[in-house]
Amino acid sequence: MTTLKRVWQAGVIGVVVAATAGTVAVAADVVAGSSTGAARALSSAPGTTLVAESGEPGERGGGDDYDDDRGGREEGAMSGDTDRSGSAGADIGVEGAIAAVTGAGYSDIREVEREGRDYEVKARDADGRLWELYVDAGTGEILDRERD
Amino acid sequence: MTATASAPTPDGRLARVWDPLLRVLHWGLAGSIAVAYVSGEDAMTVHLWAGLAALGVVATRVVWGLIGPRTARFGAFVPTPMEVVGHVRDMLSGRVERHAGHSPVASVMVIALMLTVLAAIASGLLTLGGGEAFEELHEVLANAVVALVGLHVAGVIVSSIAERQNLARAMVTGHKKVDD
């Protein structure tokens, strides 16, 4: 019985220790790790998220979107439409991201957000469905999309 | 124990139960989680540091759980499922026992909180690292932490009433009345 308890305890303790070690490893990777990790996490978090909203009245009233909130509160994020801080090399800018998306047949741009190396654009396709599109900030290529 | 069941002795032995580091870690974790929760959507830098502080606390606590004094050690309080069931049965039947350390149910609480806090921190870090997909998971886990904290506080209040002692104060002073 006591042996059984020992084994059980060892298992539970093992899980806790492993979870802790894993989280510490992730923290080390994100915070102290590669330049894409720490620098980006720390610098992109407070300042560089760039949001431009279409400001169209209607449907999306409440401002319940977390991204909206976050962007709106960031200092001067709304005003600078060519903010390139935190990125290296060429950048298509918010206009470029919008152009890329409208060029691909999307319309009704709802939100443009800078997230790391991508722009995330919320827009509708020809059938009226709302998508979140991931646009490469350097090339303007639409990398991926998911339903919003 | 069974015979004297329902009436806890009015003043059991006053024992030094929680060591100083354990108490500092306990309130440090409470504080960092509070800061992290409040700063969640507004102040990313503060939020990140609060999260890292919480991770530091949990990591230290886990090490302390391996090498610390008896009541701090996992080996002394990680209960078997049978012990938990037995303790719940005791509680439901009104039997009160004042443990010199964590009761089996309290131990489950501790472990659940630790794991959930760790998962919340990990998902937060992964969100910052660029994994957008983790953001929603992070929010769910953060709310789970708050729910568990609520449960923890409720458990402390209920146990304090049942044991007729202020268990929250025991986590400040380190002393607690225990039954021998």
Side-chain angles (χ1 to χ4, degrees):
Chain A
M1 188 58 206
T2 39
T3 342
L4 205 62
K5 179 168 177 172
R6 286 270 157 71
V7 172
W8 164 260
Q9 284 191 327
V12 173
I13 295 167
V15 168
V16 173
V17 170
T20 309
T23 308
V24 170
V26 171
D29 189 48
V30 171
V31 176
S34 60
S35 54
T36 44
R40 230 175 70 193
L42 283 165
S43 67
S44 78
T48 55
T49 310
L50 186 62
V51 174
E53 282 167 280
S54 61
E56 279 165 6
E59 293 127 324
R60 302 187 93 241
D64 52 357
D65 189 321
Y66 175 67
D67 293 323
D68 289 352
D69 295 349
R70 194 162 70 177
R73 274 196 296 274
E74 273 145 17
E75 71 286 344
M78 308 279 287
S79 58
D81 55 4
T82 52
D83 183 354
R84 282 162 202 192
S85 55
S87 68
D91 191 322
I92 55 170
V94 171
E95 297 90 340
I98 293 171
V101 167
T102 50
Y106 295 88
S107 57
D108 191 17
I109 311 290
R110 291 314 182 94
E111 181 186 318
V112 181
E113 183 181 358
R114 180 62 189 263
E115 194 74 44
R117 299 172 166 276
D118 305 333
Y119 284 103
E120 290 176 14
V121 183
K122 270 183 199 163
R124 285 189 196 282
D125 64 13
D127 299 325
R129 287 172 302 194
L130 197 57
W131 293 90
E132 181 147 75
L133 300 134
Y134 297 87
V135 181
D136 188 300
T139 65
E141 186 191 351
I142 297 175
L143 301 167
D144 195 11
R145 66 173 193 178
E146 53 187 54
R147 284 303 299 275
D148 189 67
Chain B
M1 183 179 106
T2 338
T4 58
S6 51
T9 46
D11 37 5
R13 188 167 60 87
L14 199 62
R16 191 174 161 280
V17 174
W18 311 121
D19 66 84
L21 178 61
L22 184 147
R23 284 177 270 149
V24 168
L25 291 174
H26 176 273
W27 295 112
L29 185 62
S32 54
I33 287 174
V35 170
Y37 192 74
V38 171
S39 65
E41 300 191 15
D42 302 284
M44 261 317 178
T45 312
V46 175
H47 184 70
L48 174 60
W49 286 110
L52 290 175
L55 175 58
V57 168
V58 175
T60 311
R61 180 65 185 87
V62 168
V63 172
W64 202 232
L66 299 174
I67 63 166
R70 207 193 71 86
T71 56
R73 268 204 307 273
F74 290 122
F77 70 79
V78 171
T80 62
M82 290 301 290
E83 289 171 332
V84 175
V85 170
H87 184 60
V88 169
R89 202 174 291 148
D90 280 355
M91 287 195 303
L92 291 178
S93 63
R95 223 171 285 155
V96 177
E97 198 191 335
R98 295 187 284 205
H99 293 258
H102 303 86
S103 78
V105 169
S107 305
V108 173
M109 185 80 244
V110 171
I111 293 158
L113 259 172
M114 272 186 181
L115 290 177
T116 314
V117 166
L118 284 172
I121 295 168
S123 63
L125 287 164
L126 291 169
T127 305
L128 273 186
E132 275 291 284
F134 291 101
E135 190 170 318
E136 233 159 276
L137 178 65
H138 183 55
E139 287 174 24
V140 169
L141 287 167
N143 287 324
V145 168
V146 172
L148 286 175
V149 168
L151 208 57
H152 171 52
V153 171
V156 168
I157 292 171
V158 169
S159 299
S160 292
I161 293 168
E163 297 181 20
R164 299 185 201 157
Q165 63 172 327
N166 186 341
L167 289 169
R169 199 182 59 195
M171 193 47 87
V172 175
T173 62
H175 293 83
K176 184 176 152 178
K177 282 185 271 188
V178 298
D179 301 321
D180 289 301

